[in-house]
């Protein structure tokens, strides 16, 4: 649940976006910015929670983030204007970042490398499924109860997660291994990381994939709406990308034994470029 919360929160209201635009009497392009501000918050604060938890502990940091997520989700649900919704989405992302980071940190605290790999092999397919599950749930909630009910689902999800964390999870970082929090060291470490050409190359590959993914997400619900598809049917239209992600990860897992990493990345990028050219061709025709 901690690993899924980021994508569930970004994808569950996709079928509702045209309805939100109509409710606030705003252009659809303005509603698209709610995805942008969410991703900005998610990107920035993932860099911060790790060092913060090294000082304060994993569980306390996680509880703070999930509480913030719940409050921001409630604010999204009760938004009276688009500005309030955007600000709430930003803080919702800040809260969700804690779960994304702490999930990985806590597994690494407890298990060795081999066991960590096994656990992530169980968790990551569930994460890949969340972009398929969330819009389906959101589509039916939109059809039955409206867009506020869709955002209210994130409040319930966050509350249930907080309950599990509080009652079932213990602290995984011993006090004698904690580090002092120094903002200068954080900046220095990140600058060193961004100065690594190997890190930047691998990040570029992942970033290019997510650019196309979220460009599609931001525009797709409007396109499906022009086809007069009801919200509950629109939710099913996002299943294909999750299936593609699962098939791709399974293919890569087996292909790594046949190819070295760099040729494999070249093949993956070539497939992405070919798919992009085909989409441009059919769009122009």
């Amino acid at each position: 649940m901690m690993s899924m919360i980021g994508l569930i929160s970004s994808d569950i209201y996709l079928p509702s976006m045209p309805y939100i635009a109509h409710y606030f009497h705003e252009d659809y392009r303005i509603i698209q910015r709610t995805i942008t501000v969410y991703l900005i918050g998610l990107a920035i604060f993932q860099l911060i929670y790790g060092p913060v938890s090294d000082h304060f502990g994993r569980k306390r940091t996680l509880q703070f983030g999930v509480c913030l997520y719940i409050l921001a989700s409630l604010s999204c649900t009760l938004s009276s204007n688009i500005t309030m919704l955007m600000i709430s989405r930003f803080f919702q992302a800040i809260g969700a970042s804690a779960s994304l980071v702490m999930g990985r940190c806590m597994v690494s605290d407890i298990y060795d490398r081999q066991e960590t790999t096994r656990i992530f092999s169980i968790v990551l397919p569930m994460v890949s499924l969340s972009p398929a599950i969330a819009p389906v749930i959101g589509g039916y909630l939109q059809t039955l109860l409206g867009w506020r009910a869709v955002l209210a689902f994130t409040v319930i999800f966050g509350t249930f997660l907080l309950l599990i964390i509080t009652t079932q999870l213990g602290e995984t970082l011993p006090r004698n291994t904690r580090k002092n929090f120094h903002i200068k060291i954080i900046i220095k470490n990140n600058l060193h990381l961004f100065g690594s050409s190997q890190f930047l190359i691998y990040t570029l590959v992942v970033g290019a994939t997510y650019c196309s993914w979220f460009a599609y997400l931001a525009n797709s619900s409007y396109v499906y709406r022009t086809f007069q598809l009801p919200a509950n049917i629109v939710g099913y239209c996002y299943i294909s990308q999750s299936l593609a992600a699962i098939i791709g990860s399974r293919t890569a897992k087996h292909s790594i034994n046949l190819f070295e990493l760099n040729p494999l990345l070249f093949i993956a990028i070539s497939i992405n470029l070919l798919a992009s050219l085909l989409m441009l061709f059919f769009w122009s025709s």
Side-chain angles (χ1 to χ4, degrees), residues 31-155:
I31 305 301
Q32 286 178 317
R33 294 175 189 173
T34 60
I35 295 179
T36 303
V37 296
Y38 180 85
L39 293 177
I40 290 172
L42 206 66
I44 294 173
F45 283 86
Q46 284 188 74
L47 300 175
I48 297 173
Y49 275 116
V52 169
S53 70
D54 287 340
H55 178 72
F56 292 103
R58 310 297 192 211
K59 185 172 182 178
R60 186 185 299 180
T61 305
L62 179 58
Q63 287 174 318
F64 167 80
V66 177
C67 285
L68 178 61
Y69 172 86
I70 294 169
L71 292 174
S73 299
L74 183 60
S75 180
C76 288
T77 306
L78 301 176
S79 294
S80 57
N81 55 69
I82 191 62
T83 302
M84 182 178 176
L85 180 60
M86 284 190 184
I87 295 173
S88 301
R89 286 284 288 170
F90 181 74
F91 282 97
Q92 188 184 41
I94 295 174
S97 297
S99 293
L100 291 173
V101 176
M102 291 305 99
R104 289 161 174 77
C105 289
M106 295 175 89
V107 170
S108 300
D109 289 340
I110 300 173
Y111 301 105
D112 58 26
R113 180 179 295 180
Q114 185 175 357
E115 191 69 10
T116 296
T117 303
R118 187 186 70 83
I119 291 171
F120 283 140
S121 69
I122 298 170
V123 172
L124 294 181
M126 296 300 297
V127 176
S128 298
L129 281 174
S130 59
I133 297 170
V136 173
I137 296 172
Y140 278 104
L141 287 174
Q142 171 63 48
T143 301
L144 295 172
L145 300 171
W147 66 269
R148 293 191 189 275
V150 176
L151 295 173
F153 179 87
T154 61
V155 179

Side-chain angles (χ1 to χ4, degrees), residues 145-217:
L145 300 171
W147 66 269
R148 293 191 189 275
V150 176
L151 295 173
F153 179 87
T154 61
V155 179
I156 297 171
F157 187 90
T159 303
F160 186 55
L161 177 58
L162 180 63
L163 180 64
I164 296 174
I165 290 168
T166 303
T167 58
Q168 301 297 323
L169 282 184
E171 178 56 63
T172 61
L173 186 68
R175 287 189 175 274
N176 59 353
T177 61
R178 297 184 187 181
K179 304 173 184 178
N180 292 327
F181 182 82
H182 295 293
I183 189 67
K184 290 183 179 179
I185 295 177
I186 296 173
I187 295 173
K188 180 181 177 181
N189 289 340
N190 280 299
L191 288 175
H192 176 74
L193 190 63
F194 288 121
S196 168
S197 58
Q198 188 176 20
F199 170 80
L200 290 176
I201 289 170
Y202 293 141
T203 302
L204 181 63
V205 173
V206 178
T209 302
Y210 275 104
C211 278
S212 58
W213 187 316
F214 281 99
Y216 163 72
L217 292 184

